[in-house]
Amino acid sequence: MDKLLYIAASGAKQDLLATGVRANNLANAQTTGFKAQLEQARSMPAYGEGLPTRVFAMTESPSNNYEGGAMVQTGRDLDVAVQGKGWFAMQDANGQQAMSRDGSFQMGADGVLTDMHGNVVLGDNGPIYLPVPLDNLNIASDGTISVRPVGAPENVSQEVGRLKLVNPQLDSIERGQDGLFRTKDGSVPFADATVQVRSGMVEGSNVNAVDEMVSMISLQRHYEMQVKLMKQADELAGRGNMLLRIL
């Protein structure tokens, strides 16, 4: 009975992990710039000294859905959305460069440009600092930020920085625990001039809530089936022990 119990327990474990991934996606269905997480598992024979008579479920190639989310018009000057492929370069809490699609920016008291979580937005030359007070801010399609200097005419603008926009290969990046993306080998992506942005809007989450709910229901039913198999294995083992006592 150990074969049945081992297989069922291994499958139940993967169902729990997959349910956690789907639940996290649902929780972030309204998070700006969020990319849905994917999960996948397959059967894997357990090789050893004897024949591979045991099979377990193994997580395989977990990744993310990098499709673009819906563009949401906000009209806010500091809201920016990447068009198509590309990422905003950010500075994480450890001072390292990371990437994000969340373009809902804000300006700190010292003029530094950050996202809603406090991560610093990077430009071509490091963190971007905006002049205080801020007037007539404009972000061009190439990420160039310009403002009207204090006391200058309305038609006068001055460039104060440019967003660092990067576009590494998707198979070379991974999601961190803080929700930001980084290269797997720790390298720093170079700025890509082909990446374009649009101001006054943000990119919504690409999570499909209906698909996630259907997947969660399917995983829960599959988990219940695995638990029933585990109970059945325990019952069969108990009956086997009873027969041995009779003999």
Side-chain angles (χ1 to χ4, degrees):
M1 294 303 103
D2 64 320
K3 298 180 183 179
L4 174 59
L5 182 61
Y6 188 85
I7 294 172
S10 178
K13 175 183 177 183
Q14 294 302 323
D15 286 336
L16 280 176
L17 294 175
T19 301
V21 170
R22 299 296 181 176
N24 182 66
N25 288 342
L26 275 176
N28 288 278
Q30 301 298 323
T31 301
T32 302
F34 182 81
K35 299 301 179 186
Q37 293 178 283
L38 304 176
E39 45 78 23
Q40 180 180 349
R42 67 182 177 93
S43 59
M44 181 66 182
Y47 294 97
E49 296 180 357
L51 296 175
T53 57
R54 305 294 187 273
V55 179
F56 61 93
M58 182 182 68
T59 300
E60 183 182 47
S61 302
S63 185
N64 306 280
N65 179 3
Y66 292 110
E67 293 182 1
M71 295 294 180
V72 181
Q73 187 81 34
T74 65
R76 184 170 172 267
D77 292 338
L78 288 177
D79 283 344
V80 191
V82 175
Q83 290 184 295
K85 297 181 179 179
W87 303 81
F88 298 109
M90 313 294 294
Q91 186 179 83
D92 62 19
N94 298 321
Q96 303 298 317
Q97 180 173 316
M99 294 171 291
S100 173
R101 293 277 292 196
D102 184 359
S104 184
F105 299 145
Q106 61 184 0
M107 185 177 66
D110 55 354
V112 66
L113 191 64
T114 68
D115 65 8
M116 292 300 179
H117 304 288
N119 300 304
V120 177
V121 181
L122 294 178
D124 291 337
N125 301 309
I128 297 176
Y129 291 88
L130 302 178
V132 181
L134 191 63
D135 188 22
N136 196 21
L137 180 139
N138 178 67
I139 301 178
S141 60
D142 64 348
T144 301
I145 305 174
S146 58
V147 298
R148 183 176 71 89
V150 177
E154 290 291 337
N155 60 346
V156 175
S157 63
Q158 177 183 354
E159 181 179 330
V160 294
R162 185 172 65 177
L163 299 172
K164 183 178 180 181
L165 304 170
V166 299
N167 187 24
Q169 295 293 326
L170 295 181
D171 59 359
S172 68
I173 63 177
E174 59 185 359
R175 189 199 307 262
Q177 294 294 327
D178 55 2
L180 298 175
F181 289 80
R182 299 168 181 82
T183 56
K184 295 178 181 179
D185 59 3
S187 61
V188 177
F190 294 103
D192 191 334
T194 63
V195 181
Q196 300 289 298
V197 298
R198 293 185 64 181
S199 61
M201 57 177 45
V202 294
E203 178 187 4
S205 171
N206 69 349
V207 173
N208 188 316
V210 176
D211 288 347
E212 298 297 331
M213 283 296 299
V214 171
S215 296
M216 284 194 66
I217 293 173
S218 177
L219 287 168
Q220 288 171 356
R221 289 179 176 175
H222 194 259
Y223 176 80
E224 291 173 358
M225 181 186 69
Q226 304 282 14
V227 172
K228 289 180 180 179
L229 287 174
M230 293 167 65
K231 291 181 178 178
Q232 187 69 30
D234 182 62
E235 182 179 347
L236 290 174
R239 291 181 178 180
N241 291 333
M242 290 177 62
L243 288 175
L244 291 176
R245 285 198 295 267
I246 293 175
L247 296 174

